[in-house]
Amino acid sequence: MRVLILGWEFPPYITGGLGVYCYELTKQLSAKGIDVIYVLPKRMKKVRSDFVKVVEVGPGFEFGSYNEKEAMVFKGSIEDYNNLLVKRCLHESFDVIHAQDWMVFDAAVRLKKITGKPLICHAHAIEYMRTPHDPWSYIVEKEKTGYYNADLIIANSYYMKRNLVEKLGVDPRKIVVIYNAVDQERFEQQFRREHGLGNSKIVLYLGRLFVQKGPDYFLNAAKKVVERFRNVKFLIAGTGDMLPQLIKQAIDLGISDKVMFLGFVPEEEKPKYYAISDVYVLPSVSEPFGITVLEAVAAGTPVVISKESGASEVVRSAFKVDFWDVNKMAELILGLLMYPPMAREMSRNGKKEIKHLTWDKIAEETIKAYKMAVYG
Amino acid sequence: MTHVVMYFHVHQPHRLRQYSVFDIGNGTEYFDKKLNKEIFLRAARKCYFPSNRLLLDLIEKYEGKFKVSFSITGTWIEQAQEFEPELIQSFQDLVKTGHVDLLDETYYHSLAYLISEEEFKEQVKMHRKLFKELFNYKPKVFRNTEAMYSNDIARTVKDLGYKGIVAEGWHSYLGWRSPNYVYQAKGSKIKLFLRNYKLSDDISFRFSTPYWEEFPLTADKYAAWLAASPGEVINLFMDYETFGEHQWKETGIFDFMRHLPEHVLAYEHLDFVGINELIKMKAVDEIDVPYYSSWADMDRDLSAWLGNEMQKTAFNKLKALESYVKRARDIKLKEAWRRLQTSDHIYYMCTKWWSDGDIHKYFSEHVESPYYAFMNFMNVLQDLEGKLMAKIIPRESEYGEIPTSL
């Protein structure tokens, strides 16, 4: 079987998850004996692959971003690309067309009509989900064209499937759900490369940068860690009004080369950051619960958490410390960095411990509380 | 006749102080004298003094019909000498009655057998010397740390001149056989005395458990159980701290013990003997233990000490320091290394909370968590390694030797 995949990007050119997805998918497909022709817009960087036939189309595109100012330019590039795509692909023979997201749907539908080959449209994201209050009608129209004409639709989650049905009116019978695999190792390698982390150990702070979250204590502890352990980087994921102050603090402490501010991390990206970290620190001054602690533990990352958090009552396989005791905090972080067997032991036990903390159980307990209130 | 052997194990470790990574290389003390003193004095008040008093009374009262046996670790004696020397006198008084048998063990209550045979033998000899000096007593029976046992251990102990050795009466090697007989170790002519764990644990663990169906346990009921037990010997082996420390005075443990001899001796076929008496008895069969067993936890193996990755890491590091200790030739550092071998330190790192949690927790009340215990221990080992290297490098470089790294 020969599949024509109409894509958008491919390593080394990657702007988001789509490129990673296409790389991993085509690699696995060819390993399983499927012929793949992967088509994408030609850009500045040359794309190469030894396991898949890559076809680059066009003179060298620069799409820019699709905000209002550049909308016309962006639209023009998309149209050009789609036209060239159709022309180029008519030289290829294939059994099925697999179109990755709205940018190529126009060409995909035309190719289907010309060749009579079945079309699969892949929904990675839709405009209504990206900008629910102000979707760009141009994109919505492209999406509708693709999904209405597709013989089969692959949605990357049931949530996506529901959105396709509810927001775009797509026939649910032709949607199948196939989840994306998170290739953690790849993500980690890429992240390390992009941020110049080498083989540094990583200590993570993830949360808003507000006083009650204690990010300043985190930096003070970082300073003490660095004095004993050089090969480490401290990631601060999140934004908040303390950001400028924290940047200044890192400079004043002389550890600005050891601290990286990542900015806001979207919900679905969080697990990746826990997983690449060697230690997760929650230095909160006051934290009613601290769900991030459970998320980190679930990801297998050992945690150093403030005693002033609800989560510290729940997780036993964790280091607990008073938020103001930065010496102790540093000592515990250091221990986890210096003694990997301890980190692994804590990770294993932590995962086991929180298994019982499912939403299902929490609902059951809540129902029990309701019943107690109602029936006494 | 069924002989009842009551053997008590007396031990306190030198607990470590909180030793942070920032203490490494700063000359900070390893052991927490204040904490050790506090715990020792508490145990002396709650257990050692009243229990010794009680046993002495019973021995005198029954004029040789009541006998007990003891093993006492070197680390306990060291602390007694420092914090409460009267206790040494108190044990000497007991031994002088002639109705108390003593057992040898490793001086440091250590896992030395797993470090090297040489280290093991040295620690046994240290203990032997200690007992000779303090009690003018030469034990004939040996108890390895936490009743750690195997065919090989039995052979080594036999080579050291002992006639008997203690082990757990565990079904995995007993099979259908009863622990209530004297056995012989496979592969060496040494008698094997197996703990009746059920009857021992009835006192040491279950005595004050309110949800136990036999609660409360009275001396006459317990004596009736002993009387109804088939076999030639009932080995009741337990930590001495059972009396007053694990089971508080308020549970009635001392009253139980006070009345036990009269109820046991009321049965004509029961008597008390010291553990040395068992050496003369005929072994009914041979016991084959080709792997390590112990009396700890539900598993009766080494998993209480070497069950998780932290414990294995810590123990391997400790073991690896042996050659450094030899080369450094520093008495103080050697003593520190040996004190670190005390099995309690590695026991504190155990993460088998879910089944055996309560017992582990009891013994490690001063340790915040197994992770702290590990980190503390490793920090100390790092410091010790540095100190050993500092001794080795100047000396050996004179001879042109270059120390290999771990």
Side-chain angles (χ1 to χ4, degrees), chain B residues 75 160 176 223:
Chain B
T75 56
L160 284 163
W176 56 271

Side-chain angles (χ1 to χ4, degrees), chain A residues 74-227:
Chain A
F74 182 72
K75 260 160 99 172
S77 306
I78 293 283
E79 299 296 322
D80 287 350
Y81 175 52
N82 275 269
N83 289 334
L84 289 167
L85 198 57
V86 177
K87 262 194 218 160
R88 176 66 182 78
C89 290
L90 287 174
H91 296 290
E92 301 287 340
S93 70
F94 44 85
D95 302 306
V96 58
I97 309 161
H98 185 176
Q100 307 289 346
D101 239 47
W102 69 269
M103 296 81 81
V104 293
F105 282 177
D106 196 29
V109 173
R110 277 150 65 193
L111 277 170
K112 174 194 164 162
K113 284 182 178 158
I114 299 165
T115 62
K117 301 292 180 191
L119 169 64
I120 299 172
C121 283
H122 204 127
H124 290 277
I126 60 171
E127 183 66 3
Y128 275 111
M129 288 160 75
R130 276 188 290 255
T131 49
H133 305 297
D134 187 24
W136 190 9
S137 60
Y138 170 72
I139 293 177
V140 176
E141 283 315 307
K142 295 283 178 209
E143 285 171 344
K144 282 183 178 169
T145 311
Y147 296 127
Y148 291 173
N149 285 292
D151 299 282
L152 190 78
I153 296 163
I154 297 174
N156 59 5
S157 69
Y158 285 94
Y159 178 66
M160 173 64 76
K161 178 175 174 173
R162 205 169 67 224
N163 272 283
L164 288 171
V165 175
E166 288 173 6
K167 300 286 196 301
L168 295 179
V170 176
D171 181 355
R173 286 171 301 181
K174 65 178 186 183
I175 304 175
V176 296
V177 173
I178 302 175
Y179 284 105
N180 286 349
V182 182
D183 191 339
Q184 189 55 44
E185 203 180 326
R186 238 199 92 78
F187 171 77
E188 174 157 3
Q189 280 169 7
Q190 194 189 333
F191 184 85
R192 283 182 180 278
R193 204 169 43 240
E194 283 172 3
H195 294 82
L197 293 179
N199 65 350
S200 291
K201 296 270 188 175
I202 297 174
V203 182
L204 176 69
Y205 170 97
L206 194 155
R208 285 165 303 144
L209 305 180
F210 291 156
V211 174
Q212 69 266 31
K213 296 275 180 189
D216 43 338
Y217 293 102
F218 178 74
L219 286 182
N220 285 331
K223 162 78 176 165
K224 297 201 179 287
V225 171
V226 168
E227 284 167 9

Side-chain angles (χ1 to χ4, degrees), chain B residues 166-184:
Chain B
V166 162
E168 177 72 331
W170 194 233
H171 52 70
S172 65
Y173 40 84
L174 268 175
W176 56 271
R177 294 170 294 190
S178 159
N180 295 354
Y181 291 89
V182 169
Y183 292 88
Q184 183 164 306

